[in-house]
Amino acid sequence: MTTVLTPWARRTRTGGLGTPRRHRPPLLIGAGTLLVLLFALAGPLVAPHSPTAQLAAPFQQPDGRFLLGTDVLGRDVGSRVLSGGRTIVLTALAGTAAAGVVGITAGVLAALASRRLGDLLLRCVDALAVLPALLVVLVLAAGFPGSHTALVASVALATVPFSTRVLRAAADTVLSSGYVEAALARGDTRWAVLRHDVLPNIAGPALTDTALRLVASLHLTATAGFLGLGPGGATPDWGRMVSENVPGATLAATPFLAPALLLVLLSVCVGLLAGRLADTVGRGAG
C-alpha cells in the first residue's frame, strides 16, 4: 500500500527543506561553535609560554617542550595559537554588534519615515556598499595603524549597508500588516507601535542577519591580520601568523598550518550555525 504524504507531513519528516533532520544536527553544530569560540577566547589563560618571547631557534620541529614547534622568530607556536584567536573573535564580535545597532536603527527609521525620506536614507547607506569591503578595511586600518577601534569601525562600515536593507525590508513587512494599521487606528503612538509591534516581529530576521554578518566580519578581520593591519608588533593573531610563517613552510608546516586550520574551523562552525539559525527562523516565519 502506497502512503501519500501531504506537503505538511513531508516538511515535518524532512525538516522543512527536503533534507532529513539527522543530516543537520543542531546540537552538534552549536556545541562545535561554542568549543571553538571558547578555545579562541580562553586560550591565552592556558598558554604554557609567553606568546611573544623568543624561546628557541626558528622553525624548530615539534618536541616535548614545544608541541607545535617554533615560528619564524623562535616563539612557541602552541602558545601563539592559544593566544591568537581572541583578537580576531572580539574584533569580529564588536564590529558585528556595531553594524547591527546601526543597521537596525537605520532600517527601522527608513521604514517608519515617509517613502521619500526612507529611500534617501537608503541611498546614503548604499554609498558605503559601493566600496569594496576590503578597501574600507585597508583605508581605515592604514590611516590609524595599530588601532583596534579603527579595525572594528572598518568591519562595521563594510557590513552595515546590507544589514540596513534587510532590516528595512523586515520592518516594512511588519508595518504593512493589518494589526499595525489597527494599532495606529485605535490611537497608539508610533513609539508604542515600534516597541510592541515592530521590534519584536523583526527580532528573528535581525538575529539571523547578525549571525550571517559575523561570518563576514570574521573573514575581514582574519584578512586584515594576514595583511599586517590592526594591532602590530608581536601581538599574536591567527591571520598574521599564517603570513609570517608561510616563507618557512618547507622547514616546518605547523607554524602556518595550525592557525590556518583554526581560521577555517571557526568560519565553518559559525557559518553552519548561522545557516541553521536562518533555516529555523525561515520555518518559523512560514
Side-chain angles (χ1 to χ4, degrees):
M1 179 178 179
T2 303
T3 302
V4 179
L5 296 178
T6 64
W8 180 86
R10 287 196 295 269
R11 185 174 63 179
T12 303
R13 290 193 178 185
T14 61
L17 293 179
T19 303
R21 286 185 182 274
R22 63 178 178 274
H23 291 168
R24 298 179 292 110
L27 291 179
L28 183 60
I29 294 173
T33 305
L34 182 61
L35 286 176
V36 176
L37 290 176
L38 284 177
F39 178 87
L41 294 174
L45 302 177
V46 296
H49 304 286
S50 169
T52 60
Q54 184 175 351
L55 303 173
F59 296 122
Q60 180 174 311
Q61 295 297 321
D63 55 23
R65 183 184 180 193
F66 306 115
L67 298 181
L68 295 178
T70 59
D71 69 353
V72 64
L73 295 180
R75 299 167 296 194
D76 178 32
V77 173
S79 298
R80 289 183 65 78
V81 163
L82 288 169
S83 304
R86 176 182 288 181
T87 300
I88 289 179
V89 171
L90 291 181
T91 301
L93 287 174
T96 302
V101 171
V102 175
I104 195 170
T105 302
V108 171
L109 286 178
L112 288 173
S114 63
R115 176 62 59 179
R116 180 175 299 180
L117 186 58
D119 290 341
L120 177 62
L121 179 58
L122 279 186
R123 296 292 85 77
C124 296
V125 174
D126 285 344
L128 291 173
V130 175
L131 300 174
L134 186 56
L135 178 61
V136 176
V137 174
L138 287 171
V139 170
L140 284 182
F144 301 92
S147 172
H148 275 288
T149 304
L151 188 55
V152 170
S154 63
V155 171
L157 288 174
T159 56
V160 74
F162 309 100
S163 294
T164 301
R165 278 200 165 275
V166 168
L167 296 174
R168 192 263 178 102
D172 274 338
T173 301
V174 175
L175 289 171
S176 62
S177 61
Y179 59 86
V180 170
E181 295 175 355
L184 292 173
R186 68 172 176 258
D188 289 356
T189 63
R190 297 185 74 84
W191 170 250
V193 170
L194 173 65
R195 181 180 177 184
H196 298 292
D197 296 311
V198 177
L199 292 180
N201 283 285
I202 66 171
L207 183 60
T208 303
D209 179 74
T210 299
L212 295 174
R213 299 305 163 212
L214 179 58
V215 179
S217 298
L218 287 171
H219 292 166
L220 285 174
T221 307
T223 302
F226 183 84
L227 296 175
L229 305 173
T235 304
D237 180 285
W238 287 347
R240 186 180 294 111
M241 288 175 64
V242 175
S243 63
E244 286 176 345
N245 295 296
V246 163
T250 57
L251 300 175
T254 52
F256 82 91
L257 193 58
L261 290 177
L262 285 171
L263 283 173
V264 172
L265 182 61
L266 178 61
S267 297
V268 169
C269 286
V270 175
L272 288 175
L273 185 61
R276 177 68 191 182
L277 182 61
D279 183 17
T280 302
V281 172
R283 289 204 310 271

